[in-house]
Amino acid sequence: MFAKVLSCAVVGLEGIQVEVETDILNGLPAFTVVGLPDKAVEESKERVRSALKNIGADIPAKRITVNLAPGDLPKEGPSFDLPIAVSILVASGQLPAVTNTALFLGELSLDGSLRHTKGVLPMVLLAKEKGIENVFVPEENSMEAQIVEGVSVFAAKSLKDVFLHIAGQKQMEKLPHINYEELEEDEEYEFDMKDVRGQEFVKRALEVAVAGGHNILFKGPPGAGKTLLAKTIPSILPPLTFEEALEVTKIYSISGLLGKKPLIKKRPFRSPHHTTSHIGLIGGSALPRPGEISLAHRGVLFLDEFPEFPRQVLEALRQPIEDGFVVVSRARERVTFPSRFMLVAAANPCPCGFFGEKNKTCSCIPSQILRYQKRLSGPILDRIDIHVEVPSVEISKITTDGKDAEDSKTVRKRIDKARLAQYKRLIGKKAVANADMGAKDIKEMVNITDAAKEILKQAVARLSLSARSYHKTIKVAQTIADLEGSKTVEREHVLEALQYRVKTTI
């Protein structure tokens, strides 16, 4: 007897519909899975066999052939366990035929219970796109699936729950849709802007960077507060929109990092160690998986000890920073991962860290300093919008109580207001923040005064700005105008933006 059940595979970040076809024929007992299955799918035969036995179902002593169509699409992961088990039950006559209005997802334990499964969100989104009404998922993935509106979600603890539901003996309840606005957001942050003593100029530059989503590089001696400043960024980041939250959650879902959260509402903050490999940072492996730059999508990628990262790893950042996505090509497949992140980097001026310091003596020889500074190429530095010198903190600043310092909530209100102005201005565009704007967007959207244009012309001549640096200066100036609530980019906005635009070496 023949049966067909709908399931789903994930390629990159997108779900692809898979038809699980099962045919049971007379002959010697055998269980075969075809359709380019990987090792995890091959092993599903044993999980399904044990799960069927342990819920009291009959296992036909015949030739069982399971086909995962389309046959040219590689199938990976254990999420096909549940649809394979259901299709065998239907093909053997133990369950009535299942219509094409149901999608089944989930990994089985040997006792028949359903385990947490990666990538459920993009699969449920595919069901909505294809008009599939009902989706059966493991109970641990239920909240993740409930985010998707227009799909009936049924959460099962075990294969037996699904069996009784399809057989009409015990119906599972349809779970309600979860609204994005109803989800609670954790407002607790480990670091606050008021904890940073002094460094007012640096904090202003950081506020501008976060308000416009601009890349920023902190340069200064050890102990000046570069890392602390970076770690305060989550407390001033604007909230994710629903569309952005879906993008980020899909990445974390397929990576198995979602945990018990139904949806990620806070912008991600990723801080990989400088020994991270090329694949770990950019993404890849035999079966391509998102790297740190994709896990930081719509959030922050903090690279401490920036020059200590391998040269080839830093150079690999150039294209993702520019394009907002990375293409990973392998022999078997080619996938695209989003990587629209704000790069925050911190660097010392030399190996010992005290080159140029007044109160401490640098112990490095000139060749060491030059070699250290040459680790960062001109093209990488040119892609960073804001360059800030972080001087050592004065003793008088360290010993103050800091009562007069602005806290993160105050700074975040200004940033939220500036981001709202950007969202309104960029409606209908791919860009969602000033840093995302292309040359065409700048020409159409930025209202710059004649006096500001004149300053820019002089800066191009005197500072030898590249075309990229020229456009980045305008984008930073637009962000400064947004923070001040100005509808036009004035002369003073451009002058401040030029303070952050420097240098081809650290």
Side-chain angles (χ1 to χ4, degrees), residues 32 41 45 82 98 131 187 224 232 300 359 361 380 437 455-456:
T32 307
V41 181
K45 296 184 292 188
L82 179 60
V98 178
E187 290 291 343
T232 63
V300 174
N359 302 324
T361 304
I380 278 290
M437 291 192 296
I455 291 292
L456 274 171

Side-chain angles (χ1 to χ4, degrees), residues 2-15:
F2 173 82
K4 183 172 73 173
V5 169
L6 297 184
S7 188
C8 187
V10 175
V11 177
L13 292 183
E14 303 304 320

Side-chain angles (χ1 to χ4, degrees), residues 1 23-31 59-65:
M1 189 175 173
D23 198 13
I24 300 178
L25 301 171
N26 293 324
L28 292 174
F31 193 161
I59 306 166
K62 297 182 179 180
R63 184 175 183 81
I64 302 172
T65 303

Side-chain angles (χ1 to χ4, degrees), residues 170-360:
K170 185 180 179 181
Q171 295 294 306
M172 287 190 289
E173 290 186 11
K174 182 177 76 172
L175 298 179
H177 168 64
I178 296 177
N179 289 318
Y180 179 66
E181 294 75 16
E182 294 175 0
L183 293 173
E184 293 184 3
E185 183 178 356
D186 183 13
E187 290 291 343
E188 293 294 323
Y189 299 98
E190 187 178 356
F191 301 95
D192 194 281
M193 290 285 279
K194 67 182 179 183
D195 298 329
V196 182
R197 301 287 185 264
Q199 308 291 19
E200 301 305 325
F201 176 76
V202 183
K203 287 195 276 188
R204 167 63 177 178
L206 184 59
E207 180 181 339
V208 172
V210 174
H214 303 288
N215 301 326
I216 184 169
L217 173 63
F218 296 124
K219 297 162 287 182
K226 303 186 297 294
T227 302
L228 177 59
L229 282 160
K231 289 183 176 180
T232 63
I233 292 176
S235 66
I236 61 174
L237 284 172
L240 289 165
T241 64
F242 178 65
E243 290 74 19
E244 290 175 331
L246 278 181
E247 290 177 22
V248 175
T249 305
K250 283 167 69 175
I251 297 169
Y252 279 72
S253 178
I254 68 166
S255 302
L257 300 175
L258 195 55
K260 295 183 179 179
K261 298 177 183 177
L263 198 71
I264 293 176
K265 291 194 74 172
K266 291 168 67 173
R267 293 184 184 272
F269 182 90
R270 305 293 298 182
S271 180
H273 193 259
H274 62 261
T275 57
T276 301
S277 68
H278 179 282
I279 290 176
L281 191 68
I282 305 300
S285 81
L287 297 170
R289 284 288 176 266
E292 290 290 339
I293 63 171
S294 296
L295 293 171
H297 180 61
R298 298 300 181 189
V300 174
L301 178 68
F302 175 46
L303 301 183
D304 204 0
E305 305 297 342
F306 198 40
E308 298 295 341
F309 282 81
R311 179 69 178 258
Q312 64 170 6
V313 173
L314 292 182
E315 293 304 307
L317 284 172
R318 286 159 59 172
Q319 182 258 335
I321 289 174
E322 199 74 12
D323 298 339
F325 62 87
V326 60
V327 179
V328 180
S329 296
R330 293 293 181 266
R332 291 174 60 180
E333 56 187 316
R334 179 176 181 270
V335 298
T336 301
F337 295 119
S339 60
R340 183 69 68 185
F341 57 87
M342 172 185 164
L343 174 64
V344 178
N348 295 324
C350 67
C352 78
F354 298 111
F355 177 65
E357 280 293 286
K358 296 179 181 177
N359 302 324
K360 294 188 179 180

Side-chain angles (χ1 to χ4, degrees), residues 443-484:
K443 188 175 181 180
E444 293 178 1
M445 302 290 177
V446 177
N447 186 7
I448 185 167
T449 63
D450 291 337
K453 287 179 181 177
E454 186 59 34
I455 291 292
L456 274 171
K457 286 180 183 178
Q458 295 177 25
V460 169
R462 294 182 183 180
L463 302 178
S464 300
L465 296 181
S466 66
R468 181 186 290 114
S469 296
Y470 172 78
H471 287 126
K472 283 187 179 296
T473 302
I474 294 176
K475 290 190 280 189
V476 173
Q478 177 64 71
T479 299
I480 296 168
D482 289 336
L483 282 168
E484 295 185 3

